[in-house]
Amino acid sequence: MSIACIIVAAGRGTRSGSAIPKQYVEIAGKPVLRHTLDRILSCERLDHILVVTHKEDAKLYAKSIDSIGDHRLLPNVIGGDDRSGSVISGLSALQNFDCKTVLIHDAARPFVTPQQIDQIIDTVSPKQGAFLAVPVVDALWRTEAALTSVDRDALWRAQTPQAFPYPEIVDAFSKAKQGATDDVAIAISAGLDVVPIESSERNFKITRPEDFTRAQEELEQNLDIRTGNAFDVHAFAEGDYVILNGIKIPHDRGLSGHSDADVAMHAITDALFGGICEGDIGQWFPPSDAEWKGADSEVFLIKAIDRVAERGFTITHIDCTIICEEPKIGPHSKAMRENLSRICQIEMDRISVKATTSEQLGFTGRKEGIAALASATLVKA
Ligand code: MG
């Protein structure tokens, strides 16, 4: 039995004042929907994630999920005319996934936490649904006729995710009256218990133009900025060229190593793995594995770049220092930066390649090999 989450992203967002639907507006470098998806994907208990989109948003959606390699993200489905039509589309698309529990979440709520999702999942049973909500704290007044106060005790403002036992909510929607719009109301009218789980104001829904500013401020407070660094050495051996950051440089010696011995690219790769705390090249590509003999080190770097993206980080800066007496690096540094820019898909002005000698001291000074250092800065909003 699996647990699924439907993200409803088919709305047109007319109140937000933006030119495109609000779930695709970029905040801190990523569309709102991508922020939401990254939060949802970080919850390991979810087995399937399904986004319901509008038929006109294919390009915007494709851009929003760019480089997500998580197999739990199912192909999107097209929504209905209104929110409940979209929820029904999502529920039917999950029919062959043996779902026990389904969560329904708004694309425009990018601040839900994995802990809140866990709490919701733990509360749902075959007889009971649950939803995030905040207790009403302001005094409430009704203005229909004479001004009358409304008792705010026991009043809640609903948020999402809302979560239900899957077979029961499918049944409830099939019996729901035409025009019924609220998932919780539909569940209750079909006889399910539904309980609120206290949430916070931080899980707000982006609705009005000023909400984008508030979301931007929230995201900036939560920026996860990391620096990975690394060091690598390869010894000189017989040969007539070396490869550094993918550039072949003629030399009277080569570098020895299991792969192509690109010491600079290895340092950068390890700095990226270091930034996400996922080991190093040796763990991902063991030297004992014959497959990597003579390998182009670009393969290793691409793996690290993919992992960084899968973990939701963006590479904002790479700095690499090559330490050797020979060959001269300066004339090749621009070509190296261009090559790294192509592989990493980031601008050249975010990539530095420089060189130094060790003043004829130590193994690099004795021209026994080449050493390289690298730092990489990674940012997750
Ligand atoms: Mg190496």
Side-chain angles (χ1 to χ4, degrees):
M1 298 288 269
S2 64
I3 302 175
C5 180
I6 295 171
I7 299 177
V8 187
R12 314 319 291 148
T14 47
R15 280 176 289 174
S16 70
S18 59
I20 55 172
K22 62 185 177 183
Q23 60 273 30
Y24 298 110
V25 172
E26 286 203 3
I27 301 178
K30 288 194 289 191
V32 170
L33 173 61
R34 180 54 178 270
H35 287 289
T36 306
L37 264 173
D38 287 342
R39 288 287 176 109
I40 296 287
L41 287 164
S42 73
C43 182
E44 289 176 0
R45 289 171 72 189
L46 294 171
D47 302 298
H48 311 291
I49 291 117
L50 175 74
V51 184
V52 183
T53 58
H54 192 276
K55 59 180 186 302
E56 289 168 10
D57 295 344
K59 275 191 185 155
L60 290 167
Y61 179 67
K63 198 174 160 219
S64 301
I65 58 162
D66 183 39
S67 80
I68 295 182
D70 196 314
H71 68 278
R72 297 176 302 156
L73 181 62
L74 302 173
N76 62 310
V77 295
I78 302 300
D81 292 335
D82 53 19
R83 190 179 189 283
S84 57
S86 295
V87 171
I88 290 168
S89 302
L91 290 172
S92 9
L94 290 170
Q95 62 187 346
N96 296 325
F97 288 92
D98 194 26
C99 291
K100 174 177 69 175
T101 299
V102 61
L103 286 75
I104 301 166
H105 188 56
D106 299 326
R109 277 189 206 275
F111 297 108
V112 64
T113 66
Q115 295 76 14
Q116 288 174 321
I117 296 171
D118 279 345
Q119 216 182 339
I120 286 224
I121 291 171
D122 289 336
T123 310
V124 174
S125 72
K127 287 187 179 341
Q128 179 173 277
F131 63 103
L132 292 186
V134 283
V136 172
V137 292
D138 299 315
L140 294 176
W141 292 89
R142 192 188 298 279
T143 58
E144 282 164 336
L147 203 61
T148 49
S149 72
V150 178
D151 183 7
R152 68 176 174 234
D153 289 346
L155 280 184
W156 296 80
R157 285 190 293 119
Q159 298 180 336
T160 67
Q162 300 168 341
F164 308 96
Y166 178 78
E168 286 75 7
I169 193 69
V170 169
D171 194 41
F173 266 95
S174 72
K175 290 177 186 154
K177 291 197 190 75
Q178 198 70 28
T181 55
D182 186 82
D183 315 333
V184 171
I186 289 169
I188 291 170
S189 66
L192 273 174
D193 275 342
V194 186
V195 294
I197 293 175
E198 186 163 346
S199 173
S200 79
E201 296 290 348
R202 292 192 69 191
N203 183 33
F204 71 99
K205 184 178 181 179
I206 297 174
T207 308
R208 297 154 305 171
E210 58 269 33
D211 293 336
F212 289 106
T213 316
R214 184 177 164 198
Q216 173 98 31
E217 285 165 4
E218 276 292 328
L219 288 167
E220 281 167 0
Q221 273 175 23
N222 287 319
L223 279 185
D224 187 347
I225 304 175
R226 299 173 173 206
T227 306
N229 72 72
F231 176 70
D232 195 28
V233 173
H234 281 260
F236 280 125
E238 288 293 301
D240 55 9
Y241 68 89
V242 296
I243 293 177
L244 294 171
N245 283 322
I247 304 299
K248 191 170 173 178
I249 301 171
H251 190 50
D252 57 6
R253 318 236 37 210
L255 286 172
S256 78
H258 187 65
S259 63
D260 63 5
D262 188 336
V263 58
M265 199 174 276
H266 292 182
I268 293 171
T269 305
D270 274 349
L272 294 175
F273 281 132
I276 51 172
C277 306
E278 291 201 7
D280 57 31
I281 293 183
Q283 284 165 258
W284 285 90
F285 303 95
S288 54
D289 192 335
E291 192 183 346
W292 312 118
K293 183 148 179 59
D296 181 342
S297 294
E298 188 170 324
V299 175
F300 309 152
L301 180 56
I302 287 171
K303 180 71 194 178
I305 293 165
D306 287 349
R307 283 303 305 152
V308 165
E310 283 161 19
R311 290 280 303 276
F313 284 90
T314 303
I315 304 167
T316 58
H317 183 238
I318 287 171
D319 186 14
C320 173
T321 303
I322 299 167
I323 306 161
C324 59
E325 301 291 328
E326 290 173 345
K328 288 275 169 264
I329 303 301
H332 305 282
S333 130
K334 182 160 176 277
M336 291 183 197
R337 291 172 63 214
E338 279 168 352
N339 193 41
L340 292 168
S341 167
R342 172 188 63 82
I343 301 168
C344 299
Q345 295 286 298
I346 61 173
E347 303 89 340
M348 251 177 89
D349 66 3
R350 293 178 181 276
I351 299 170
S352 151
V353 175
K354 55 197 191 303
T356 185
T357 70
S358 54
E359 300 286 342
Q360 296 171 21
L361 297 171
F363 68 88
T364 49
R366 293 188 298 270
K367 302 180 187 173
E368 292 166 6
I370 299 182
L373 292 159
S375 300
T377 307
L378 311 178
V379 178
K380 178 156 81 171

